[in-house]
Amino acid sequence: MYDFDLVIPSSVADAASAMKADGAQALGGGQTLLPTMKQRLAAPEVLVKLSDLAEMVGVSAASGILRVGGATTHAQVAEEGAAYPALAALAGNIGDPAVRNRGTIGGSIANNDPAACYPAGALGSGATIITDRREIAADDFFTDLFETALDEGEIITAVNFPIPDAANYQKFDQPASRFALVGVFVARFGDAVRVAVTGASNGGVFRWSVAEEALSADFSASAVEGLAVNAGDMISDLHGSAAYRAHLIGVLTRRAVQSC
Amino acid sequence: MPKVTMNINGRARSTEVENRTLLSTALREKLHLTGTHIGCDTSQCGACVVHVNGKAVKSCAVFAVELDGATIDTIEGQAAPDGSLNVIQQAFKDHHGLQCGFCTPGMVMSAAALLKDNPKPNEAEIRDYLEGNICRCTGYQGIVNAIMAASGQAVPAIAAE
């Protein structure tokens, strides 16, 4: 990979000013960025290290919200996220143990990989993404494939997850990449149900609104029986056709509801 | 070039690195600790697993310069100073946990991390924990047996799957 300048800030404020440099890129755990740089698909001139910034690391629960610092590793969320078990389980099944010891929630969400798990957890929970500048609702955050509402140099400092009455994440593993071939996150808040799907759409993570309506009226696996997403919008690659992915969404949604 | 000082296997070691130097490269080429293997260099295979501040990490997916002051454990620190193998290494030897041996440093380091958190893992937990460690000799049953034995448990007589 090409060399770069590295900034190791001691506060979010320092990090934010370092991010103003031309060609600056935030470095979380690096579990996606380093392989990308090795392939020269990215060649940032300046990396600003965000992991280990104390004010961005930690998991805490209060008044029905699980707050996860932007630089918190997947392993820490898996270990300390007991107040939101579905999210802790999601975090504990990302990648592999060594990847989970480095990779961070902020990195995952900012990257918005169409097959990543955290975007489904954030969108499915109706989370709020907190940056050094503002708060962004998950519904407005994930805009397209690898695209988010983040502005140039904006840093995710935390993610606030409302803790649902019941939730479950079903991931159909793509065993080579350890990403989701398809993943479905279902969360029920009273009668309101959110269903977020990752791994499937050409536009990245999305809410399956038809299923949400059906499940809000009747929270049972049979309520989504027969519902189908439009395979025309789905990813098709050597691991699975669009029709296969569309089918998996229904199967995984039913399993998630049954596991809630 | 930036200088980085790490406590590696109980000894303070310093070296100069470029910002882009990976921990795996620093260990092997700067500090000549070539026990850490580079299999894929894309963080898939796990041959390069070492412990950073006690946690298993793929050393090909971390910049050395980020680790100034960190404690690193590598495969070289597993055996006793007189060369006698630790319990995990001995179990790998006894239970045919290695064939070509290329993946073994990462397997042993992952196993050590697992047993630190979970001293008596069952077979499913072992297989789950080793998800990021690939053995292309496909010697997984021997590896699982070795970790069962290293944790003082009975070794399955025949392959479970």
Side-chain angles (χ1 to χ4, degrees):
Chain A
M1 73 176 73
Y2 294 108
D3 208 5
F4 50 85
D5 291 328
L6 177 73
V7 179
I8 302 183
S10 51
S11 67
V12 173
D14 284 356
S17 62
M19 286 293 290
K20 288 181 187 143
D22 272 352
Q25 159 78 48
L27 170 63
Q31 300 302 287
T32 295
L33 185 58
L34 267 68
T36 309
M37 288 171 68
K38 287 180 188 181
Q39 293 180 300
R40 297 185 175 178
L41 295 170
E45 288 164 44
V46 180
L47 286 184
V48 180
K49 176 179 158 73
L50 300 181
S51 55
D52 306 336
L53 268 180
E55 51 190 310
M56 279 176 52
V57 176
V59 181
S60 58
S63 354
I65 302 279
L66 187 81
R67 182 186 177 88
V68 180
T72 310
T73 63
H74 311 326
Q76 191 173 349
V77 175
E79 230 166 78
E80 299 174 15
Y84 190 170
L87 191 79
L90 174 151
N93 200 27
I94 295 173
D96 59 54
V99 166
R100 293 195 287 274
N101 282 334
R102 293 290 300 175
T104 65
I105 188 169
S108 170
I109 283 180
N111 191 46
N112 193 17
D113 188 297
C117 296
Y118 261 132
L123 187 62
S125 307
T128 302
I129 288 85
I130 302 177
T131 77
D132 59 323
R133 299 170 201 180
R134 57 185 168 145
E135 300 191 353
I136 310 170
D139 283 324
D140 302 322
F141 184 85
F142 301 102
T143 53
D144 206 345
L145 215 63
F146 295 108
E147 296 286 338
T148 69
L150 289 174
D151 288 330
E152 205 62 36
E154 193 168 5
I155 296 169
I156 297 174
T157 55
V159 183
N160 279 359
F161 294 88
I163 300 172
D165 299 317
N168 186 261
Y169 178 58
Q170 292 287 322
K171 175 183 181 183
F172 194 95
D173 288 310
Q174 205 284 61
S177 72
R178 306 181 189 107
F179 277 88
L181 186 68
V182 173
V184 176
F185 195 98
V186 171
R188 183 176 65 75
F189 297 85
D191 290 336
V193 178
R194 295 174 67 100
V195 179
V197 180
T198 189
S201 166
N202 282 313
V205 67
F206 70 97
R207 284 173 68 186
W208 188 16
S209 46
V210 177
E212 291 182 350
E213 281 167 34
L215 290 168
S216 298
D218 170 18
F219 193 72
S220 71
S222 56
V224 285
E225 199 80 51
L227 297 183
V229 291
N230 181 1
D233 303 329
M234 297 297 113
I235 297 168
S236 193
D237 59 21
L238 79 167
H239 306 298
S241 66
Y244 182 64
R245 281 185 162 87
H247 176 72
L248 272 183
I249 293 171
V251 172
L252 296 176
T253 303
R254 291 195 293 276
R255 285 185 192 167
V257 170
Q258 280 164 345
S259 307
C260 269
Chain B
M1 280 196 289
K3 186 175 162 186
V4 50
T5 301
M6 299 175 277
N7 183 318
I8 302 178
N9 300 326
R11 256 183 76 197
R13 303 286 300 268
S14 294
T15 181
E16 286 189 340
V17 291
E18 292 181 288
N19 285 333
R20 63 179 168 178
T21 303
L22 303 168
L23 175 60
S24 51
T25 310
L27 289 171
R28 290 178 53 84
E29 295 177 16
K30 295 283 185 172
L31 299 166
H32 309 297
L33 293 168
T34 53
T36 296
H37 287 172
I38 298 170
C40 66
D41 207 21
T42 58
S43 59
Q44 298 286 315
C45 80
C48 70
V49 167
V50 302
H51 297 184
V52 173
N53 298 327
K55 307 261 188 204
V57 158
K58 293 184 171 175
S59 61
C60 81
V62 193
F63 295 120
V65 70
E66 288 190 75
L67 300 175
D68 192 44
T71 297
I72 314 288
D73 296 296
T74 73
I75 190 69
E76 285 89 349
Q78 297 298 296
D82 69 359
S84 57
L85 301 179
N86 78 5
V87 63
I88 298 172
Q89 293 171 307
Q90 187 63 47
F92 268 65
K93 186 179 174 191
D94 294 343
H95 294 275
H96 202 52
L98 65 159
Q99 293 174 47
C100 86
F102 195 88
C103 72
T104 310
M107 289 287 180
V108 169
M109 296 312 289
S110 280
L114 168 64
L115 296 185
K116 198 158 54 174
D117 288 347
N118 182 355
K120 298 264 183 227
N122 62 34
E123 184 170 344
E125 289 168 334
I126 293 170
R127 288 181 183 275
D128 187 55
Y129 199 87
L130 294 180
E131 178 163 16
N133 290 83
I134 294 173
C135 166
R136 283 303 69 155
C137 305
T138 70
Y140 295 104
Q141 191 60 47
I143 292 165
V144 171
N145 288 352
I147 298 173
M148 294 291 281
S151 52
Q153 304 183 84
V155 172
I158 45 167
E161 57 179 345

